Structures are given as structure tokens and as C-alpha cells.
Amino acid sequence: MKKFFYHNSLSIVFLLLFIAAFFGQIIFGIEEYNKELIENGGHAVTMSNYLTTGHFIEATFENWESEFLQMGLLVWLTIFLKQKGSSESKGFDGEQEVDREPSAQRKDAPWPVRKGGTWLWLYKNSLTVSLFLLFFVSFFLHFYGSFKDENTANVLKGNPPLSLMHYLGESRFWFESFQNWQSEFLSVFAIIVLSVFLRQKGSSQSKPVDAPHYQTGE
């Protein structure tokens, strides 16, 4: 067990941080939602009911959507684009290790590599495909939650509910998306550029402390 935690400590810590933050979102989210309901003449909901509301679904997947979009684009664009001096970029000189053709003869090669054919093609692109798939699922769930929350507000105010197509043309959903997308793109830009000039000893996201600024990648 100790060996397992040692080998997986980075993912375990982030998973625990996610769970803690997720519960924090739920606890304060239901408090905020019930406050809004009561102020508009509605009735407070229970925890189990809150988890099916548009308020919870929209708030959750609005953020997941932008995260998966950011990571998917970063993985895909770093295939073609480079940034001199950044630890997030491939180098400029010579053939890169990540560009080599997979070999079924390599020791402990994953089974899709040994299988070849369609399985190999899918596996070669599986990280990008998975991230973009998660983005599209989150995007549609964000839209559904936002749509549902908007119509809940309309009912409380005595207004007629909107149709899906009508809401797709409304500004609220797109404002929610773009305000998250721009922050994610800014954070990626920041790590790409800052890693050219700044260092963090011991981090895989940084170049060695004594590396020159023009050195690209690790």
C-alpha cells in the first residue's frame, strides 16, 4: 500500500483536492441556490434535489468544459506549434522522442501497439480524442444545466419558459462559456511564457534551474 501511494501520489493528491473542492461547491452552492429561490418566492430544496437542478449541473460542467478544452488544445497544438525556451514545448533540434514511430518490439509496449492496425491508430491519438470527447460531453451538459436553470428562474418570475433553440441564441450561455475559456487560455499562455524565464527546482513543468532561457523543453 505504501508503494502504491508513492507511485501514484500526484494523482491521489489532486483527486483528494478535487473531492474536497467538489463537496465545498455543493455545500455553498445549495446555500446560494436556496437563497435565490426564497428571494424569488420559491421553496428551498434538499441536497438530493439540488444535485439534479440546472444550477448545480451548469456550475459543474461549465468549469469542466473549459478545463478539458484547454488541455485538449494544449496536447493537440503542441504537436505542430513550438515556443522557443518553454518547458511546455518540444525542442527545435533533431527528431523528438515523442515523434518516433511506435514499435511492437519495444519492451513492455502497451497492447494496442502490439496489436497494430486500427487499435494502434486509435491509441496514437487517444489522449487528444479523450480530452475533446470530455469537452463536448461537458459542453452539452453545461448547456443543458444552464438552460434548465434559466427556465427555473423564468417560472419563478412568471415568465414563459424558453425553447432549447431559443436559449442557444441567448447571451447567458455563451457568456458563461467564454468567460471560462479566456481564463484557461490565459493560464496556458502564462505557463508557456513564464517557463521560458522562471524555474521551479524539482518540477517536471520547469527546465533545470541552471538551464539557459533559450533552452526549449527539458
Side-chain angles (χ1 to χ4, degrees):
M1 184 62 71
K2 184 177 179 180
K3 185 178 180 180
F4 172 82
F5 281 109
Y6 179 73
H7 286 173
N8 300 278
S9 56
L10 186 59
S11 59
I12 290 171
V13 167
F14 270 98
L15 177 61
L16 292 175
L17 287 171
F18 162 74
I19 292 172
F22 195 52
F23 274 108
Q25 175 194 329
I26 294 172
I27 291 168
F28 291 105
I30 190 172
E31 183 178 332
E32 184 66 19
Y33 184 61
N34 281 334
K35 188 190 300 181
E36 292 176 6
L37 287 177
I38 294 170
E39 287 176 353
N40 288 282
H43 300 285
V45 299
T46 63
M47 178 72 75
S48 59
N49 287 333
Y50 175 67
L51 297 179
T52 64
T53 63
H55 186 274
F56 171 74
I57 297 171
E58 177 271 318
T60 299
F61 291 101
E62 174 187 348
N63 288 285
W64 292 17
E65 163 199 318
S66 60
E67 296 294 339
F68 291 130
L69 176 62
Q70 172 211 159
M71 296 307 299
L73 284 174
L74 180 62
V75 171
W76 181 62
L77 289 175
T78 51
I79 299 173
F80 317 102
L81 306 180
K82 299 180 180 182
Q83 174 59 54
K84 186 173 178 60
S86 176
S87 63
E88 300 297 313
S89 171
K90 293 191 294 185
F92 287 80
D93 300 323
E95 186 174 338
Q96 305 297 301
E97 182 74 1
V98 294
D99 292 327
R100 73 165 187 247
E101 286 300 316
S103 171
Q105 307 305 316
R106 184 173 293 274
K107 182 183 178 182
D108 296 329
W111 72 264
V113 177
R114 300 194 303 272
K115 189 76 173 177
T118 302
W119 289 110
L120 174 58
W121 183 88
L122 287 172
Y123 189 66
K124 286 198 295 185
N125 300 281
S126 57
L127 181 57
T128 301
V129 169
S130 296
L131 289 169
F132 278 122
L133 180 61
L134 288 168
F135 161 70
F136 285 117
V137 170
S138 298
F139 180 86
F140 286 116
L141 287 172
H142 167 211
F143 175 74
Y144 169 72
S146 185
F147 167 73
K148 188 175 181 181
D149 190 51
E150 179 72 10
N151 276 337
T152 297
N154 284 333
V155 170
L156 289 172
K157 295 174 183 177
N159 298 326
L162 300 174
S163 67
L164 278 170
M165 292 306 298
H166 188 170
Y167 186 66
L168 188 61
E170 292 289 305
S171 59
R172 173 184 167 177
F173 169 71
W174 294 107
F175 170 71
E176 291 169 350
S177 291
F178 279 107
Q179 71 168 336
N180 281 278
W181 294 359
Q182 57 86 13
S183 65
E184 299 301 336
F185 296 153
L186 178 62
S187 67
V188 173
F189 170 79
I191 188 62
I192 289 172
V193 175
L194 291 177
S195 67
V196 175
F197 308 102
L198 307 179
R199 310 284 189 270
Q200 177 55 61
K201 187 177 184 300
S203 174
S204 63
Q205 300 302 299
S206 170
K207 294 182 295 186
V209 176
D210 57 358
H213 292 328
Y214 59 77
Q215 179 176 316
T216 305
E218 297 182 4

